[in-house]
């Protein structure tokens, strides 16, 4: 990083680089880090020198607690001195902070371009707990259950009395769900009254069939591009823009013409019934850009000035999913530059890409990001043809493809690439065994042993805990694992540190024996305590030499030792006060501190939480949030109900391709920079994202700031680079490059907007806002942002046109309003204390912060489709899912009493059986249980074609998106309160329990847009 601006006088000074950071521009080996010159290498992991033989262990001098005696080596045999962690100058704590509160403050307005971004530091970068004092000798014991101590530790649960809901400024129109339905037939007013005998409901028309109610055409606007670059390799699509007839869409908000009934024609409201449609116009114009699944800008037209940017009002930024699965039929080419080394700009460190240009008969190349003229190394030289193209272009994927993967040579390592490491921290207390969690988890881990990435280098280890910690010696020479119990929670030490984390292929038999015996050992455990914090510290001490993935299985509220947590969040009176947000953030700094320490040592944490009581996910999830991990939440886990879900999700977590010890940076052209980052990670410097473990299911959002008053270049380039260790042991760099035009016209920015990307940034900003403000405030911010953007858009057109009582919007943003409403109704932001338990809210927040665009949009506006008619069709073939799934508006009006519907949000499937559904269908699908209350019925395959057909459909829906395993719930129309809980409250277009309906939401927006218009 400290080389980026050298000799680049046009750029304003960037924030002072953390010169001691080993990243960004770490010099080649042998050069002091401070001297990072123009030749400095990209970024590196801040890891200590690798010592494969596992030398003795000693406490790190730099991390001792104040006043602590110099620790000395433990007396335990086999334990010695380990090398110290990196000294403070190789990993500066000031440049190392979570993307905390600072980004919230930026939410209302983009940060002023003048100041450098603030880097947050963790409050009190405390010493990691690495004390090693002599303990009473630990004799290895054979494995048997630890002593039981039945105490009533954790009690009480999370109560959520009703509270104020979503405030709305409109009286409810059309209350659609009065609660318990009684009597036959249309059980509540929200259903259309004609559904009994007269055919399917007619209220909704598929919006795709017709244009919105009013569409106006307008004469051509002056061309929006600042200037056109005519270089052959990247011509902006001038023809697409100039001469474009500008359309805007609108919704008429007066009564339906010719109708006596009051109300709006909401059938014409836009809905995402085709799912997420990725933007394609610029992909066509710039075929060498990376695919939008890797990088999606919020608008593909970058404003040329700060004043233009300030009128945009929507977020200006991008969503990046660096390891997204490649589109079908494509793969990311792997490139080895061999002897000539990786070709990068010597000034800004950009990787060679399709947009660089070669000059001087092929001897020089010009960097597309900073314009630097670089020498072409002799080994990389190629003659140019008459048009200036390299003759070898077709053999050089890095010069034709927007996404490539480069094999990194040793300069990109400060230690040999780490092996894949999976370490498990498993709660074995009373509830963990009773619920069946322990059994499912151990069976699943065992079943995955053959498929963990990285054979034969993969390493594995385990710690279990209740009121004490249990370590397991897995040395390959043993036939059975040895268990060691540590009961001193105040001064954690690790017995036999070298044999707790073992090579899986060498110790395979011991590991299997351990996994087989663990559930039996603890099956009668009555211990209800949880020494989670001390166990976490112990895991950290075992792992911090190499890093790896730490999977935590927690079944109760941590009750003993450091990091113990209190029952909180059961007081609804806190809602609506200034203290409300404190419930949603970690209470104890221990969690954030542990997360920071883990990230520093390349440990990524995934948290699996299972309790039926309050477990303070806000605190536990902090561990995943700042280590690039993920939270899996199974409230009230019972293996008979949730076992399959856990099995699938844990299997995916363990077997998906994972990038280890990685860092990510996104570069962009002169005059703009990325200023805020949003997602689950920690920032290592102002623009370097630390990701100890990352995979295809993780996405990150970021916002751009214009640094210069005027951008004079015709285009802006973006380049995402993820440096990581592949499971096979290769160090690699995945590079995605894209270009976007610079424009002078606000209308063009709106035309090129990408709602999916905007919604991804917004939902992350809104969730962050709930960590510093009331839910109400977070929702209001979303609403105000949309109002401002649409008002600005209206003003663009109001001069020339009579807009009357119409809400106008660009085609590209037709779904923005609906998704805004969906964000406000999503689990992290919805309603008040009665609408979601605190743990549920926090878990959903952590999950949504990491979701890729497509998955997020499906969660916000799930699919609802009818299946009974399809089931009755003779063809058994299940071709394309799209032929079966015809998505319906998410409103009770869409449900016909005679139908069978599936609701799918990617996390849950709900099968809704209409009250008048043919009994034959119900019998076929449910067998003997067809008339029972469906809460007691699970869907199983019956011996008939229809049932098999449905099960195939469900299987295919699940396979279509394997990142989570949706559980299948059954409910019959009128079964209350289940029906409301499972389905009706998720029909987000309806007004439900104090929430706003789609119609009211549009009216609210429209009214606010017209104020001060
Ligand atoms: Zn450059």
């Amino acid at each position: 990083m400290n080389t980026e601006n050298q000799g680049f006088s046009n750029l304003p000074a960037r924030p002072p680089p953390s010169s001691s950071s080993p990243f960004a521009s770490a010099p080649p080996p042998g050069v002091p880090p401070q001297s990072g010159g123009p030749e400095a290498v990209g970024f590196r992991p801040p890891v200590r020198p690798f010592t494969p033989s596992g030398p003795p262990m000693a406490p790190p001098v730099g991390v001792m607690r104040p006043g602590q005696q110099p620790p000395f080596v433990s007396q335990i045999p086999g334990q010695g001195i380990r090398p110290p962690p990196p000294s403070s100058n190789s990993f500066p704590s000031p440049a190392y902070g979570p993307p905390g509160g600072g980004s919230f403050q930026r939410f209302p307005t983009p940060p002023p371009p003048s100041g450098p971004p603030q880097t947050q530091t963790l409050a009190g970068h405390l010493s990691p707990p690495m004390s090693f004092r002599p303990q009473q000798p630990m004799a290895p014991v054979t494995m048997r259950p630890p002593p039981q101590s039945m105490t009533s530790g954790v009690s009480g649960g999370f109560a959520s009395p009703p509270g104020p809901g979503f405030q709305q400024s409109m009286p409810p129109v059309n209350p659609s769900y009065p609660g318990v339905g009684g009597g036959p037939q249309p059980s509540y007013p929200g259903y259309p009254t004609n559904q009994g005998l007269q055919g399917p409901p007619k209220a909704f028309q598929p919006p795709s069939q017709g244009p919105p109610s009013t569409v106006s055409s307008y004469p051509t606007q002056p061309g929006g591009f600042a200037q056109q670059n005519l270089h052959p390799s990247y011509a902006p699509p001038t023809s697409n823009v100039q001469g474009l007839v500008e359309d805007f869409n609108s919704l008429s908000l007066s009564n339906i013409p010719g109708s006596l009934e009051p109300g709006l024609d909401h059938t014409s409201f836009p809905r995402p019934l085709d799912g997420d449609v990725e933007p394609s116009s610029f992909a066509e114009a710039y075929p060498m850009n990376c695919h939008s699944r890797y990088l999606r800008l919020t608008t593909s037209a970058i404003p040329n000035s700060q004043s233009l940017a300030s009128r945009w009002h929507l977020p200006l930024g991008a969503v990046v999913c660096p390891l997204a699965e490649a589109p079908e039929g494509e793969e990311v080419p792997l490139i080895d530059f061999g002897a000539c080394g990786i070709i990068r700009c010597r000034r800004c460190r950009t990787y060679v890409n399709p947009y660089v240009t070669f000059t001087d008969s092929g001897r020089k190349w010009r960097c597309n990001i900073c314009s630097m003229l670089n020498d072409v190394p002799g080994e990389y030289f190629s003659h140019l043809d008459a048009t200036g193209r390299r003759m070898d272009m077709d053999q050089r994927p890095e010069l034709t493809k927007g996404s490539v993967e480069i094999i990194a040579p040793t300069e990109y390592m400060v230690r040999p690439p780490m092996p894949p490491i999976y370490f498990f921290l498993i709660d074995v207390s009373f509830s963990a065994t009773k619920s069946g969690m322990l059994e499912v988890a151990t069976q699943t881990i065992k079943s995955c042993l053959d498929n963990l990435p990285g054979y034969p280098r993969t390493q594995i280890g385990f710690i279990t805990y209740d009121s004490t910690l249990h370590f397991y010696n897995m040395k390959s020479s043993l036939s059975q694992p040895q268990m060691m119990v540590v009961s001193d929670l105040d001064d954690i030490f690790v017995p036999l540190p070298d044999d707790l984390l073992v090579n899986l292929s060498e110790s395979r038999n011991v590991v299997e024996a351990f996994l087989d015996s663990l559930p039996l050992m603890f099956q009668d455990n009555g211990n209800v305590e949880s020494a989670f914090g001390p166990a976490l510290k112990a895991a950290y001490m075992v792992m911090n030499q190499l890093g790896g993935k730490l999977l935590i299985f927690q079944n109760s509220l941590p009750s003993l030792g450091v990091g113990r947590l209190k029952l909180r969040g059961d007081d609804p009176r806190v809602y609506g006060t200034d203290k409300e947000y404190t419930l949603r953030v970690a209470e104890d700094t221990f969690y954030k501190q542990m997360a920071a320490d883990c990230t520093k040592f390349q440990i990524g944490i995934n948290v699996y939480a299972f309790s039926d009581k309050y477990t303070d996910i806000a605190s536990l999830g902090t561990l995943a949030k700042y280590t690039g991990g993920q939270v899996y939440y199974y409230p009230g886990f019972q293996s008979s109900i949730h076992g399959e879900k856990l099995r699938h999700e844990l299997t995916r977590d363990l077997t998906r391709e994972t990038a280890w010890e990685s860092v990510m940076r996104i570069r962009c052209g002169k005059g703009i920079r990325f200023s805020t980052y949003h997602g689950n990670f920690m920032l290592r410097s102002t623009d370097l994202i630390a990701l100890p473990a990352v995979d295809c299911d993780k996405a990150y959002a970021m916002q751009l700031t214009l640094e210069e008053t005027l951008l004079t270049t015709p285009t802006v380039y973006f380049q995402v680079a993820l440096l990581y260790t592949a499971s096979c042991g290769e160090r690699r760099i995945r590079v995605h490059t894209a270009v976007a035009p610079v424009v002078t016209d606000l209308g063009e920015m709106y035309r090129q907007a990408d709602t999916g990307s905007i919604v991804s940034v917004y939902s992350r900003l809104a969730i962050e806002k709930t960590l510093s403000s009331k839910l109400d405030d977070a929702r209001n911010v979303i609403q105000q942002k949309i109002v401002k953007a649409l008002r600005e858009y209206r003003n663009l057109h109001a001069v020339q046109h009579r807009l009357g009582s119409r809400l106008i919007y660009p085609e590209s943003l037709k779904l923005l309003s609906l998704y805004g409403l969906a964000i406000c109704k999503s689990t992290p932001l919805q309603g008040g204390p009665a609408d979601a338990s605190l743990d549920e809210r926090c878990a959903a927040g952590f999950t949504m912060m990491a979701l890729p665009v497509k998955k997020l949009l499906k969660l916000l506006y799930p699919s609802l489709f009818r299946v009974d008619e399809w089931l009755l069709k003779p063809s058994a073939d299940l071709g394309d899912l799209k032929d079966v799934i015809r998505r319906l508006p998410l409103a009770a009006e869409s449900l016909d009493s005679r139908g069978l519907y599936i609701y799918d949000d990617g996390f849950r499937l709900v099968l809704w059986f209409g009250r008048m559904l043919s009994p034959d269908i119900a019998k076929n699908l449910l067998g003997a249980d067809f008339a029972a209350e469906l809460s007691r019925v699970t869907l199983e395959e019956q011996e008939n074609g229809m049932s098999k057909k449905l099960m195939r459909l469900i299987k295919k829906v699940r396979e279509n998106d394997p990142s989570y395993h949706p559980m299948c719930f059954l409910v019959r129309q009128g079964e209350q309160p289940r029906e409301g809980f499972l389905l009706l409250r998720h029909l987000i277009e309806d007004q439900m329990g104090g929430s706003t309906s789609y119609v009211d939401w549009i009216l609210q927006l429209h009214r606010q847009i017209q104020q001060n218009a």
Side-chain angles (χ1 to χ4, degrees):
M1 211 189 68
N2 44 355
T3 62
E4 286 205 339
N5 298 332
Q6 286 187 4
F8 202 164
S9 55
N10 288 344
L11 274 181
R14 294 203 183 179
S18 45
S19 62
S20 51
S21 166
F23 286 82
S25 50
V31 181
Q34 292 79 2
S35 69
E39 294 303 324
V41 180
F43 28 66
R44 295 176 177 194
V47 281
R48 70 185 90 179
F50 181 63
T51 43
S53 56
M57 174 193 304
V61 176
V63 293
M64 279 173 50
R65 299 193 192 109
Q68 188 179 344
Q69 290 295 316
F72 45 90
V73 178
S74 163
Q75 306 288 317
I76 292 177
Q79 184 173 334
I81 312 287
R82 282 195 196 173
S87 61
S88 58
N89 75 347
S90 69
F91 201 95
S93 57
Y96 187 87
S103 44
F104 307 149
Q105 290 152 7
R106 295 209 172 102
F107 187 45
T109 49
S114 53
Q118 296 291 318
T119 308
Q120 285 85 37
T121 353
L122 287 172
H125 194 79
L126 295 173
S127 58
M130 294 258 314
S131 82
F132 286 86
R133 300 222 186 119
Q135 303 283 333
Q136 51 275 60
M138 296 298 308
V141 293
T142 45
M143 284 175 71
R144 62 189 147 78
Q148 296 184 13
S149 61
M150 182 63 139
T151 50
S152 61
V154 183
S155 62
F158 176 75
S160 48
F166 192 153
Q167 285 192 358
Q168 57 177 87
S169 54
M170 283 281 300
V173 179
N174 209 6
S176 59
Y177 177 57
V180 181
Q185 265 263 47
S187 62
Y188 43 85
Y191 283 72
T193 50
N194 65 348
Q195 65 184 9
L197 298 167
Q198 300 162 12
K202 298 193 174 84
F204 286 98
Q205 301 288 334
S208 56
Q209 289 183 359
S213 55
T214 320
V215 179
S216 309
S217 298
Y218 292 94
T220 311
Q221 293 275 331
F225 292 100
Q227 63 187 91
Q228 305 302 341
N229 185 310
L230 297 177
H231 190 277
S233 67
Y234 56 96
T238 54
S239 56
N240 285 4
V241 176
Q242 289 173 348
L244 185 93
V245 174
E246 181 161 28
D247 288 348
F248 61 71
N249 287 343
S250 67
L251 282 177
S252 173
L253 298 182
S254 50
N255 290 357
I256 303 168
S259 164
L260 294 176
E261 286 187 41
L264 301 170
D265 179 17
H266 59 287
T267 59
S268 63
F269 282 19
R271 297 181 174 86
L273 302 186
D274 297 325
D276 172 37
V277 180
E278 292 177 21
S280 61
S281 64
F282 271 81
E284 286 156 15
Y286 297 100
M288 292 188 296
N289 271 6
C290 65
H291 194 278
S292 62
R293 66 178 58 194
Y294 303 115
L295 170 71
R296 275 173 82 161
L297 296 169
T298 57
T299 172
S300 299
I302 305 298
N304 78 323
S305 68
Q306 287 170 2
S307 65
L308 185 56
S310 69
R311 291 172 62 203
W312 162 246
H313 296 296
L314 295 166
L316 188 59
V319 180
V320 171
C321 186
L323 290 173
E325 283 167 346
E328 214 169 302
E330 292 178 29
E331 60 182 41
V332 178
L334 187 63
I335 291 163
D336 188 351
F337 282 97
C340 69
I342 298 177
I343 312 294
R344 301 178 67 180
C345 173
R346 67 188 159 88
R347 177 161 60 200
C348 74
R349 312 307 294 151
T350 290
Y351 294 85
V352 71
N353 64 73
Y355 298 106
V356 306
T357 47
F358 290 86
T359 62
D360 199 9
S361 308
R363 286 190 292 270
K364 304 250 184 212
W365 64 275
R366 189 174 296 281
C367 172
N368 54 315
I369 288 203
C370 76
S371 303
M372 175 84 184
L373 206 54
N374 292 275
D375 291 333
V376 174
E379 300 90 333
Y380 198 69
F381 176 78
S382 164
H383 288 288
L384 307 184
D385 68 11
T387 65
R389 261 174 65 103
R390 277 173 67 114
M391 309 286 268
D392 68 347
M393 199 76 150
D394 298 335
Q395 290 89 53
R396 295 283 186 191
E398 72 275 14
L399 299 180
T400 54
K401 303 271 185 210
S403 297
V404 293
E405 190 141 300
I406 301 171
I407 295 174
T410 48
E411 301 98 273
Y412 290 77
M413 311 168 194
V414 289
R415 64 172 184 180
M418 62 177 277
I421 289 174
Y422 292 88
F423 200 83
F424 299 87
L425 191 56
I426 307 177
D427 183 351
V428 291
S429 66
F430 175 73
S431 61
T433 50
K434 197 82 185 161
S435 67
M437 180 279 280
L438 185 59
E439 192 170 2
V440 177
T442 49
Q443 279 171 358
T444 308
I445 296 167
K446 188 182 168 197
S447 73
C448 290
L449 292 179
D450 282 330
N451 299 316
L452 292 181
Y455 173 87
R457 300 161 70 237
T458 315
Q459 295 189 19
I460 195 167
F462 300 85
I463 292 175
T464 63
Y465 58 97
D466 43 29
S467 61
T468 57
L469 313 187
H470 324 129
F471 296 85
Y472 301 91
N473 180 355
M474 302 262 183
K475 209 169 168 169
S476 59
S477 56
L478 298 172
S479 58
Q480 287 285 321
Q482 287 177 331
M483 175 175 171
M484 291 152 285
V485 178
V486 171
S487 51
D488 182 353
L489 303 180
D490 294 329
D491 220 345
I492 300 301
F493 80 107
V494 176
L496 292 178
D498 293 333
D499 295 321
L500 300 176
L501 186 58
V502 294
N503 179 286
L504 176 59
S505 57
E506 288 166 11
S507 295
R508 177 69 182 250
N509 292 339
V510 194
V511 171
E512 286 195 12
F514 165 76
L515 290 169
D516 283 337
S517 57
L518 189 64
L520 297 171
M521 270 177 12
F522 290 98
Q523 63 184 346
D524 298 318
N525 192 8
N527 194 321
V528 298
E529 298 290 351
S530 171
F532 172 74
L536 177 64
K537 279 172 72 171
Y540 167 77
M541 288 156 72
V542 175
M543 293 181 76
N544 68 8
Q545 185 135 57
L546 285 175
K549 218 161 136 165
L550 174 60
L551 291 91
I552 293 169
F553 297 80
Q554 176 68 12
N555 224 106
S556 54
L557 191 69
S559 60
L560 294 177
V562 63
R564 67 180 157 272
L565 295 167
K566 297 196 293 276
L567 277 176
R568 57 179 185 138
D570 51 357
D571 185 359
R573 287 169 303 181
V574 180
Y575 279 81
T577 72
D578 292 342
K579 293 225 167 62
E580 182 193 306
Y581 75 91
T582 59
L583 299 174
R584 297 186 282 270
V585 295
E587 186 178 29
D588 188 335
T589 54
F590 168 77
Y591 289 90
K592 213 169 186 177
Q593 184 59 52
M594 281 307 297
D597 291 341
C598 285
T599 304
K600 181 155 63 170
F601 292 100
Q602 307 295 352
I603 301 167
I605 301 178
N606 282 357
V607 176
Y608 290 76
F610 302 95
S611 180
D612 55 345
K613 303 190 183 74
Y614 176 71
T615 15
D616 200 345
I617 301 288
S619 295
L620 296 176
T622 302
L623 296 168
K625 177 184 167 98
Y626 292 118
T627 62
Q630 152 177 21
V631 174
Y632 296 87
Y633 184 44
Y634 309 81
F637 181 88
Q638 288 177 43
S639 58
S640 58
I641 299 169
H642 307 88
E644 200 192 347
K645 183 175 174 64
L646 172 59
R647 222 168 273 131
H648 274 88
E649 293 178 351
L650 178 55
T651 299
R652 173 144 178 115
D653 189 11
L654 292 175
T655 58
R656 66 187 159 193
E657 192 43 63
T658 298
W660 307 88
E661 48 181 350
S662 50
V663 285
M664 184 174 78
R665 164 172 286 137
I666 174 164
R667 293 181 164 81
C668 54
K670 180 185 159 190
I672 60 173
R673 66 181 171 86
F674 284 98
S675 51
T676 65
Y677 299 84
H678 312 274
N680 292 349
F681 57 80
M682 195 166 265
L683 277 180
R684 183 153 290 160
S685 64
T686 52
D687 64 346
L688 191 66
I689 292 175
L691 299 168
V694 57
D695 53 68
C696 61
D697 297 325
K698 309 285 189 312
Y700 310 90
M702 47 211 70
Q703 294 191 90
L704 275 172
T705 302
L706 266 71
E707 286 189 313
E708 295 187 354
T709 322
L710 270 181
L711 291 183
T712 52
T713 52
T715 49
V716 172
Y717 296 91
F718 301 92
Q719 188 172 74
V720 179
L722 178 82
L723 172 64
Y724 72 97
T725 295
S727 294
C728 65
E730 230 164 42
R731 196 86 174 131
R732 293 182 179 176
I733 307 152
R734 179 168 283 217
V735 179
H736 303 293
T737 309
V739 62
V742 173
V743 301
T744 55
D745 174 29
L746 187 60
E748 185 61 15
M749 290 182 70
Y750 280 107
R751 261 192 297 280
Q752 301 303 339
D754 176 358
T755 300
S757 181
I758 291 170
V759 167
S760 291
V761 178
Y762 263 171
S763 61
R764 284 167 170 82
L765 292 173
I767 291 165
E768 286 178 358
K769 182 85 179 164
T770 66
L771 306 181
S772 62
S773 306
K774 289 180 264 195
L775 294 176
D776 251 352
D777 295 345
R779 292 187 293 250
N780 283 337
V781 170
I782 289 289
Q783 193 172 11
Q784 288 318 307
K785 286 277 179 188
I786 296 172
V787 165
K788 273 190 186 163
L790 294 183
R791 182 188 292 151
E792 190 79 42
Y793 187 75
R794 185 182 180 87
N795 291 344
L796 278 183
H797 300 277
V799 183
Q800 296 161 287
H801 311 286
R802 284 181 53 227
L803 299 171
S805 61
R806 285 187 294 155
L807 179 71
I808 73 159
Y809 47 84
E811 170 69 17
S812 61
L813 293 177
K814 66 180 176 189
L815 299 171
L816 180 66
S817 304
L818 178 57
Y819 279 125
L821 175 65
I823 292 173
C824 293
K825 290 190 173 191
S826 66
T827 306
L829 279 106
Q830 67 175 343
D835 294 289
S837 80
L838 189 54
D839 276 345
E840 212 184 332
R841 223 181 254 288
C842 292
F846 289 123
T847 298
M848 284 172 63
M849 288 299 281
L851 289 183
V853 177
K854 218 176 198 53
K855 183 99 190 152
L856 177 70
L857 295 186
K858 184 167 175 195
L859 177 62
L860 290 174
Y861 196 93
S863 57
L864 175 70
F865 56 96
R866 184 167 181 168
V867 286
D868 55 302
E869 290 154 345
W870 173 75
L871 287 174
L872 288 170
K873 278 186 198 157
S875 83
D877 192 34
L878 179 59
D880 194 345
L881 267 185
K882 283 194 183 111
D883 300 338
V884 184
I885 299 176
R886 263 190 245 115
R887 294 178 66 173
L888 299 164
L890 277 177
E893 271 183 41
S894 296
L895 301 169
D896 182 332
S897 289
R898 297 165 306 162
L900 172 68
Y901 293 79
I902 294 181
Y903 166 93
D904 168 23
D905 66 8
F907 292 80
R908 289 182 319 132
L909 292 171
V910 180
L911 258 67
W912 184 88
F913 289 73
R915 189 193 308 276
M916 297 177 65
L917 177 69
S918 148
D920 289 343
I921 295 181
K923 261 183 224 166
N924 276 333
L925 300 180
L926 304 174
D929 291 329
F930 79 98
E933 187 178 308
L934 293 185
S935 61
R936 287 194 277 274
V937 180
T938 48
L939 191 66
E940 275 159 18
E941 188 165 301
Q942 310 289 329
E943 277 307 314
N944 63 71
M946 186 183 286
S947 171
K948 288 180 197 299
K949 200 171 168 184
L950 179 69
M951 297 309 276
R952 271 204 308 277
L953 173 67
I954 288 175
K955 184 161 176 267
K956 191 143 183 181
V957 166
R958 284 174 170 156
E959 286 170 355
N960 205 30
D961 177 9
S963 55
Y964 289 87
H965 182 80
M967 271 174 65
C968 193
F969 298 88
L970 309 179
V971 67
R972 185 174 282 120
Q973 181 180 9
E975 275 179 3
Q976 291 303 334
R978 227 172 110 75
E979 185 191 20
F981 176 76
L982 284 175
L983 181 64
L984 299 179
R985 58 181 285 198
H986 300 292
L987 300 177
I988 61 160
E989 292 193 22
D990 289 341
Q991 186 267 340
M992 187 74 72
S995 72
T996 311
S997 70
Y998 189 16
V999 172
D1000 291 346
W1001 174 256
I1002 290 291
L1003 288 173
Q1004 285 179 23
L1005 293 178
H1006 181 59
R1007 200 167 39 247
Q1008 293 179 32
I1009 288 164
Q1010 286 187 307
Q1011 285 166 7
N1012 312 316

